[in-house]
Amino acid sequence: TKDALLIFLLLIFLLTLAGVLLPYRSFQGHHVIALRYYLYHLGLILFGTSLVTLFYLILVRLLNGKRRLPGEAFEVQRYKDILEQFYGNEAAGLAFIGDKRLYWYQVDGNDKMVFQFGISNKKCIIMGEPVGNLVFQEEALAQFMTDADALNYELVFYQVGQDLTLLLHDYGYDFMKAGEEAKINLKTFSISGRKRKNFRNILNQVEKSGYNFKIIAQPHSQEILDQLSAISEIWLKGRKEKGFSLGYFDEKYLQEGPLAIVSDTSGKIVAYASLMNNGQDDIATIDLMRYDESCAPIGV
């Protein structure tokens, strides 16, 4: 819209300038330049410009050929295989949302590393650290950059750690710190002491009200998923779901990991949190956290 407006104003200026610089032609037999003459010549110029632009676009499309996307579509079992074979990471479970593509790095036909990414405006937005054998990280990164560049795509990295940051620095990347990742050591964490008083008060209030907390393993029954869906609708309040770096309510996605739930005395679920399938034995990553504000206790 801005380009079209700029071109239109520029053409008006040029036509007006032509009328000023060529007074003989402009005033010949008229003494006044009628608006229809401007519109007539403007129409001719716009028609010619449109033909040239259309020809250019067709030529570029023919020369570029069929548009190709980097990477491949998400394959559930193939991704699970590499998670089981190698160590995952905190963001690995986000691939199961299904809204990203995967770039695989192979050695002798065997999968060694995989990147999950989304595409926006000729840029591949890579979510988190790659999954796989970290010995091949530098080789996999270089190959991904080469293949993406061949298809005229740039790589942008989101939510990466120190090692990958230092590696990207060698490639000339710029960085912007947008936050930090919180990790709690469950072996040493305690709610005792003055600093944890608020935790204890909330926990005691919720338990005295008859609510209980438990973690249930997948697969989850349809009855439970229906309750979670109802809670999700209440929690969203008509807002659109987010994605990419956050999960959204999807039954297939929730079936990939355990669920932490809070229920009342009748067994009705009032709040839940999903735990990602991140391929790690010692780290649990929370994704969705939603509750029914109409009946859930304060501090749930």
Side-chain angles (χ1 to χ4, degrees):
T1 303
K2 289 189 293 185
D3 290 344
L5 182 62
L6 180 63
I7 292 172
F8 180 78
L9 294 175
L10 183 60
L11 288 173
I12 292 294
F13 171 75
L14 290 175
L15 288 170
T16 305
L17 187 63
V20 173
L21 296 179
L22 302 172
Y24 178 77
R25 296 282 295 176
S26 301
F27 288 90
Q28 185 180 27
H30 298 290
H31 302 288
V32 175
I33 304 174
L35 178 62
R36 66 178 183 273
Y37 290 104
Y38 277 111
L39 297 178
Y40 173 74
H41 290 290
L42 180 62
L44 289 178
I45 293 173
L46 289 176
F47 178 73
T49 303
S50 300
L51 283 181
V52 173
T53 303
L54 181 62
F55 174 76
Y56 168 77
L57 293 175
I58 293 174
L59 182 63
V60 169
R61 184 63 183 268
L62 290 175
L63 292 175
N64 284 338
K66 186 178 179 181
R67 184 187 179 193
R68 293 174 54 200
L69 298 176
E72 304 173 29
F74 178 69
E75 296 180 45
V76 177
Q77 193 54 52
R78 186 180 179 184
Y79 190 72
K80 285 184 176 180
D81 291 340
I82 198 170
L83 280 181
E84 293 176 1
Q85 185 179 1
F86 301 106
Y87 200 62
N89 56 57
E90 290 81 347
L94 290 170
F96 290 103
I97 303 174
D99 62 348
K100 305 176 189 67
R101 294 179 64 81
L102 298 180
Y103 179 84
W104 296 89
Y105 177 74
Q106 294 182 320
V107 176
D108 298 328
N110 297 315
D111 294 330
K112 296 298 181 182
M113 185 156 281
V114 60
F115 297 81
Q116 55 171 313
F117 65 96
I119 295 178
S120 176
N121 295 328
K122 285 291 184 178
K123 290 180 172 57
C124 298
I125 317 297
I126 298 165
M127 180 63 226
E129 303 272 338
V131 173
N133 190 340
L134 295 179
V135 173
F136 297 99
Q137 180 167 263
E138 187 169 356
E139 298 174 24
L141 179 62
Q143 187 63 52
F144 193 3
M145 288 181 173
T146 301
D147 291 348
D149 185 62
L151 297 175
N152 197 27
Y153 283 87
E154 295 180 77
L155 302 188
V156 178
F157 293 82
Y158 177 68
Q159 203 166 309
V160 295
Q162 179 177 329
D163 293 340
L164 185 55
T165 298
L166 294 175
L167 184 58
L168 292 172
H169 181 270
D170 294 337
Y171 282 96
Y173 272 79
D174 294 324
F175 303 92
M176 180 178 66
K177 184 176 180 179
E180 294 181 341
E181 194 169 57
K183 293 183 179 180
I184 299 174
N185 189 328
L186 297 183
K187 293 180 179 179
T188 60
F189 179 77
S190 172
I191 60 173
S192 61
R194 181 179 298 178
K195 291 183 178 180
R196 308 297 182 188
K197 183 178 179 180
N198 289 336
F199 283 107
R200 292 198 305 275
N201 290 339
I202 291 173
L203 186 61
N204 292 334
Q205 290 173 11
V206 174
E207 289 180 342
K208 287 179 181 179
S209 300
Y211 294 89
N212 64 83
F213 167 86
K214 63 180 178 180
I215 295 179
I216 55 176
Q218 69 276 26
H220 310 295
S221 68
Q222 190 60 47
E223 180 185 357
I224 289 178
L225 292 174
D226 289 341
Q227 290 189 60
L228 303 187
S229 178
I231 293 172
S232 183
E233 290 297 326
I234 295 172
W235 185 86
L236 284 171
K237 297 180 180 178
R239 295 172 296 186
K240 187 178 179 180
E241 289 270 28
K242 296 182 180 180
F244 187 71
S245 61
L246 292 171
Y248 50 83
F249 186 86
D250 179 79
E251 292 187 0
K252 291 183 179 180
Y253 176 58
L254 294 180
Q255 288 284 20
E256 293 295 335
L259 290 169
I261 62 172
V262 176
S263 54
D264 60 16
T265 53
S266 66
K268 178 185 176 182
I269 300 175
V270 298
Y272 70 93
S274 66
L275 302 180
M276 286 189 201
N277 177 8
N278 55 21
Q280 294 176 301
D281 297 327
D282 58 346
I283 292 180
T285 305
I286 300 171
D287 191 13
L288 296 182
M289 290 198 298
R290 299 183 174 180
Y291 63 96
D292 183 352
E293 62 180 8
S294 66
C295 59
I298 296 175
V300 69

